Amino acid sequence: MHAMQYAITLPADYDMQIIRHRVKSKGHLLDDFEGLGLKAYGVRERGVDGSPVNQYAPFYLWADPEAMNRFLLGDGFRGVVRDFGRPVVQHWQGLFHRPGPAAGALPRAFTRRTESLPESADVATVIANAAAGHEELAASDGVHSTALALDPRHWELVHFTLWADAAPDSAGDRYQVLHLSAPGTGRLGAGRQW
């Protein structure tokens, strides 16, 4: 599994209905994308849920790295580049994924939190503890699914969780989910991935 996200930060007075319309008209195009585990079409709006910015920031879990490459080099991403410029694409190695009790519902929100690993930390221990926390979180009411991933270049963990309803304040940056494409969630695996 690979995790990926790009964020397009928009002007403070940007009409977010433009993004909503874009997702409504184009979101379904990845509903059957081979190799995609899931894509959560996320937005943050300035002044809502503590967001300082207007932002379109979809989050992906890929079951197949070749599919991620096919997407980034294909027409769909070309459209993003044409309309907004080429964004920085963050990606992480998948370490853990687990569906939660609300996996059958359409999620309304997702959270993303990053955590830098201190130079002095034992990486294996920190990751094992983080995975155990996700295992516990995955059993919580309202959790659609949760994932943990690692950027070994910057030694950073990303914690990603989809929520059936509103996300708790303490879970990280909060995004509203406008659409979920999930053609390959069954291929993402369940539990630890090392």
Side-chain angles (χ1 to χ4, degrees):
M1 178 183 75
H2 283 69
M4 182 182 96
Q5 186 179 35
Y6 53 88
I8 298 166
T9 302
L10 302 159
D13 61 351
Y14 190 84
D15 181 359
M16 292 301 284
Q17 289 303 324
I18 295 168
I19 299 297
R20 292 177 188 286
H21 176 73
R22 180 187 184 91
V23 171
K24 187 174 184 177
S25 64
K26 298 178 188 275
H28 71 280
L29 296 175
L30 291 185
D31 286 353
D32 295 318
F33 195 87
E34 183 66 31
L36 174 63
L38 65 81
K39 175 182 180 178
Y41 295 74
V43 296
R44 296 196 301 165
E45 292 189 57
R46 187 170 184 251
V48 177
D49 286 336
S51 177
V53 296
N54 287 328
Q55 197 172 63
Y56 172 54
F59 196 96
Y60 304 73
L61 294 176
W62 295 96
D64 179 353
E66 289 178 7
M68 181 175 73
N69 294 340
R70 211 169 49 250
F71 171 76
L72 288 171
L73 302 175
D75 289 338
F77 194 67
R78 277 190 194 106
V80 170
V81 172
R82 179 193 65 234
D83 295 344
F84 301 105
R86 187 172 59 197
V88 171
V89 178
Q90 295 178 285
H91 58 96
W92 304 268
Q93 291 292 119
L95 298 174
F96 179 91
H97 171 261
R98 172 90 58 205
L106 287 176
R108 292 187 49 228
F110 76 77
T111 53
R112 190 196 78 146
R113 179 175 58 86
T114 58
E115 172 188 1
S116 294
L117 300 175
E119 188 74 32
S120 61
D122 178 66
V123 173
T125 300
V126 172
I127 290 173
N129 290 338
H134 277 268
E135 191 72 63
E136 187 176 315
L137 177 62
S140 302
D141 288 340
V143 171
H144 176 282
S145 54
T146 189
L148 175 69
L150 171 69
D151 171 358
R153 179 173 182 226
H154 298 106
W155 293 107
E156 177 182 81
L157 292 176
V158 65
H159 303 265
F160 169 75
T161 303
L162 281 162
W163 303 88
D165 292 308
D169 294 347
S170 61
D173 291 335
R174 294 178 286 167
Y175 300 79
Q176 181 185 1
V177 175
L178 301 180
H179 181 77
L180 182 72
S181 294
T185 54
R187 293 190 52 216
L188 292 174
R192 275 176 53 152
Q193 298 190 9
W194 77 93

